[in-house]
Amino acid sequence: MLFHNVVKIIICYKVTYSGFVRMKGAAYCYLFYFLLHSPYVFATDPIDKKYSLISGISDVQLNLPTFKDGSHHYYHELLQQSLSQAGHHVTIRETPHQPQTRTIQDLIDSRISLYWLICTAERDQLFTPIKIKLTEGMIGRRVLLIPQNQQKIYNSITTLNEFRQLNVVGVFGTNWFDAEVWKHNRLLFIIKNGDWREIYRPLAENNRGIDYFSRGIIEILAEHKLHPYLDIEQRLLFEYDNDFCFYLSDAASRYQKVIEHSLKLAESSGLKASLIKKYWGNDLEALNVNSRITLKLESPASLMSAEH
């Protein structure tokens, strides 16, 4: 930075205050004009200001989906704060709750600007991806919602093969990456068409051919509060390697580098970590994640996003 170079010159030549004020007129005027008017001198983060100028994008306007269970709040705040920290003015317009299938169609049609989804090679081709992991892999760590009084079924399970031999049936939404992981690992499941948020009641009835619903450790406690007629399975933790990332619509693809840069700054500044702690910091302890039996699941390589 030019300002820093000027400081170094002053120090190197041991310019005293009295000597400084006797500098020749032109140099004196230039130096103080620079100090007063440079956007880098008083900026809290000169690199961010410089990037904002280079990108040519100061205002970021986003149409973002919302959901009745509040699962969108972390992603909205992450975008708002990371973009603001990077020197951008952010306007977020929230769209009302819709089933996930319609939300994805809105992304295809550019009615929303972006959506957070499990990273896959297919989605990388369909949308503009931002290859920043959003949950530090926690969405790939899964705990089961089960009907009440069914914990005994799982109490003796210690391996994936033993779980497989139970012949219990899971349930997933349409086009979920989880379904491909379950298929790859030879686990039984069915697909719920339409709004996946209608899964809970049929699961609770325990007579609809489904035995459990696999949820991320950052999702299950909030969902259990909304559906207390289900139980959280107490012993097992399923784990596969993948994460959510942001996918941009065609109309919002111009924001790719801006958002990517802002998210990287959020990682290096600790902003992202603080938001993860704010929203999910107590979940790991409440779920006893470290004491659970971990059942590792292989992710199908052909479906994985190139950088995940």
Side-chain angles (χ1 to χ4, degrees):
M1 299 293 248
L2 181 56
F3 174 62
H4 297 133
N5 290 335
V6 170
V7 171
K8 289 177 183 177
I9 292 171
I10 293 173
I11 293 172
C12 289
Y13 285 91
K14 299 180 180 179
V15 178
T16 64
Y17 176 76
S18 59
F20 178 77
V21 297
R22 289 196 299 268
M23 292 174 68
K24 292 186 178 179
Y28 179 90
C29 292
Y30 173 79
L31 176 60
F32 277 90
Y33 181 88
F34 175 82
L35 292 176
L36 291 172
H37 293 84
S38 172
Y40 306 114
V41 174
F42 298 106
T44 57
D45 194 333
I47 296 176
D48 298 354
K49 296 293 185 180
K50 182 178 180 181
Y51 182 84
S52 181
L53 291 172
I54 292 173
S55 71
I57 298 176
S58 59
D59 294 332
V60 178
Q61 299 182 17
L62 299 173
N63 294 333
L64 301 182
T66 63
F67 300 101
K68 289 185 291 187
D69 58 11
S71 58
H72 60 280
H73 290 308
Y74 163 75
Y75 305 98
H76 285 207
E77 187 168 357
L78 177 61
L79 286 164
Q80 179 77 56
Q81 291 206 30
S82 60
L83 285 162
S84 297
Q85 179 181 258
H88 302 282
H89 179 265
V90 188
T91 302
I92 291 178
R93 176 181 174 271
E94 296 184 342
T95 62
H97 172 95
Q98 295 189 107
Q100 187 181 54
T101 50
R102 290 182 60 186
T103 301
I104 292 175
Q105 187 59 51
D106 281 352
L107 187 64
I108 293 171
D109 296 336
S110 291
R111 284 192 289 268
I112 59 174
S113 304
L114 61 75
Y115 189 27
W116 45 97
L117 294 163
I118 290 285
C119 305
T120 68
E122 181 181 6
R123 288 167 179 160
D124 288 353
Q125 296 299 314
L126 188 58
F127 307 111
T128 300
I130 299 173
K131 296 297 186 67
I132 304 290
K133 295 182 178 182
L134 297 178
T135 75
E136 302 299 335
M138 288 194 291
I139 197 64
R141 307 180 77 188
R142 317 290 288 186
V143 172
L144 307 182
L145 278 175
I146 58 176
Q148 290 183 345
N149 303 315
Q150 297 300 301
Q151 178 61 45
K152 59 184 180 293
I153 296 174
Y154 306 96
N155 281 343
S156 63
I157 302 301
T158 59
T159 69
L160 184 60
N161 192 51
E162 289 175 353
F163 180 82
R164 192 180 286 123
Q165 291 174 3
L166 290 177
N167 289 321
V168 288
V169 179
V171 58
F172 299 111
T174 306
N175 296 323
W176 281 21
F177 179 80
D178 304 67
E180 298 299 330
V181 172
W182 255 242
K183 180 180 179 181
H184 186 74
N185 288 274
R186 295 179 289 115
L187 300 173
L188 302 176
F189 66 91
I190 64 170
I191 298 297
K192 168 68 174 72
N193 294 318
D195 188 356
W196 66 264
R197 289 177 172 83
E198 297 176 357
I199 285 172
Y200 304 102
R201 283 291 180 185
L203 174 61
E205 293 173 9
N206 200 26
N207 60 2
R208 304 287 288 273
I210 53 177
D211 300 295
Y212 66 86
F213 186 23
S214 159
R215 308 304 295 138
I217 60 174
I218 60 175
E219 302 169 318
I220 193 166
L221 288 178
E223 292 178 20
H224 185 249
K225 288 179 181 178
L226 295 174
H227 308 283
Y229 46 83
L230 292 168
D231 285 346
I232 297 176
E233 198 284 319
Q234 296 298 306
R235 296 182 64 253
L236 305 176
L237 177 70
F238 297 80
E239 186 172 272
Y240 61 75
D241 180 26
N242 211 332
D243 206 340
F244 280 148
C245 63
F246 286 132
Y247 283 102
L248 290 161
S249 67
D250 285 346
S253 61
R254 66 188 183 278
Y255 296 137
Q256 181 188 32
K257 295 300 182 183
V258 167
I259 295 176
E260 182 181 277
H261 173 79
S262 299
L263 291 175
K264 287 179 178 179
L265 286 176
E267 288 183 333
S268 62
S269 71
L271 171 60
K272 179 181 167 187
S274 70
L275 290 176
I276 286 176
K277 183 177 181 180
K278 172 184 174 179
Y279 283 93
W280 304 311
N282 297 323
D283 290 10
L284 299 183
E285 182 177 353
L287 290 169
N288 296 314
V289 168
N290 292 332
S291 62
R292 286 175 175 266
I293 295 171
T294 301
L295 304 182
K296 292 281 189 179
L297 302 174
E298 291 184 1
S299 297
S302 61
L303 300 180
M304 294 291 284
S305 178
E307 295 181 22
H308 284 80

